[in-house]
Amino acid sequence: MRGESARYERPSSDKEAAILLAATRLFGEKGRAARTADIAAAAGVTERTLFRYFPSKDSLYRRVMFPAVLAATMPRELTETAKLFAADSESFRDWHRRVLKLRTNAARAAAPQFRLMLAALLSDEGLRRKVISIWKKNLWQHGVDTVARYQKRKQLRADVPPEHIARAIISLNLGYIVARALLAPDAPWDDDAEIEATVELLFRGAGKA
């Protein structure tokens, strides 16, 4: 996947880069209803020039969606999501804090792609299946295994199935990430303090008493 990512992320010219940037923003705002004429105007090129690079709106949409899949499923700081979730820490709090901080930073750095991904997931069944497949392969089982590891160390409650705790972690993290990257990107939040509070909230419910 790393090679595919590099191929998609290196436009062949400045004009292609401008088209991709404009398409990512407008598809994120309007979905597939975004017009190629508006994308071309936002990129500072003619519609004819746009179609020289991309023969159809569908081909342009697919072209911007691949980096969006990567941005939504893998943090920029790591080449594989599995490495993040499988990495060990001395405490569950340290592990959760690191995961949430890296994922939040990744989503904020790729906010247009992240917005595009969320919009597409609501309307594109094929893409949704693809993302779910990537998520299950690279994220889910590693998260469950990590929870089970900390349960064995008696840092998390053993009376709750690890799958339940893993789902709570993902839901809580995703809520914060969406709020920070999309809903309140310019809010004067103290991210370290907010992340610490989120980590503590989860631990108070799932932590070993």
Side-chain angles (χ1 to χ4, degrees):
M1 240 180 157
R2 194 183 310 173
E4 283 293 295
S5 174
R7 182 170 69 84
Y8 275 84
E9 290 179 352
R10 284 199 291 266
S12 61
S13 69
D14 290 343
K15 287 183 179 180
E16 183 182 8
I19 292 169
L20 290 172
L21 183 63
T24 298
R25 179 173 63 81
L26 290 175
F27 280 134
E29 294 174 356
K30 302 179 180 180
R32 286 181 179 267
R35 301 190 312 146
T36 53
D38 293 334
I39 293 171
V45 301
T46 65
E47 197 171 12
R48 177 177 294 183
T49 297
L50 182 151
F51 284 124
R52 281 209 301 266
Y53 287 98
F54 305 98
S56 68
K57 185 167 77 170
D58 281 345
S59 67
L60 175 58
Y61 183 79
R62 290 193 301 270
R63 175 66 167 73
V64 300
M65 280 310 304
F66 189 87
V69 169
L70 295 179
T73 56
M74 291 190 291
R76 290 180 178 272
E77 291 84 352
L78 301 169
T79 57
E80 298 177 5
T81 306
K83 290 183 179 179
L84 176 60
F85 273 72
D88 202 3
S89 294
E90 182 177 345
S91 72
F92 172 77
R93 281 188 176 98
D94 289 341
W95 175 85
H96 188 193
R97 186 182 301 111
R98 185 178 70 250
V99 168
L100 183 52
K101 182 172 292 188
L102 287 173
R103 296 296 300 196
T104 300
N105 289 342
R108 294 191 71 187
Q113 290 89 347
F114 192 59
R115 183 180 296 108
L116 175 59
M117 167 58 65
L118 292 180
L121 287 175
L122 297 177
S123 59
D124 191 326
E125 178 61 28
L127 178 65
R128 185 158 54 244
R129 287 196 299 267
K130 182 175 182 178
V131 170
I132 289 173
S133 176
I134 293 173
W135 181 76
K136 286 182 177 178
K137 180 180 179 181
N138 293 288
L139 181 68
W140 173 246
Q141 192 56 51
H142 292 288
V144 173
D145 291 344
T146 295
V147 170
R149 184 169 68 242
Y150 286 112
Q151 285 177 320
K152 290 180 180 178
R153 295 178 183 176
K154 302 187 184 305
Q155 294 187 27
L156 293 177
R157 293 171 53 177
D159 61 328
V160 179
E163 293 83 1
H164 292 186
I165 297 177
R167 276 192 287 271
I169 294 169
I170 292 169
S171 297
L172 193 62
N173 286 4
L174 185 58
Y176 181 77
I177 290 167
V178 169
R180 192 58 174 134
L182 302 184
L183 301 180
D186 300 319
W189 295 357
D190 182 336
D191 281 319
D192 288 339
E194 294 285 347
I195 288 173
E196 194 63 37
T198 302
V199 169
E200 187 64 23
L201 178 63
L202 189 287
F203 187 77
R204 285 182 180 274
K208 181 71 173 179

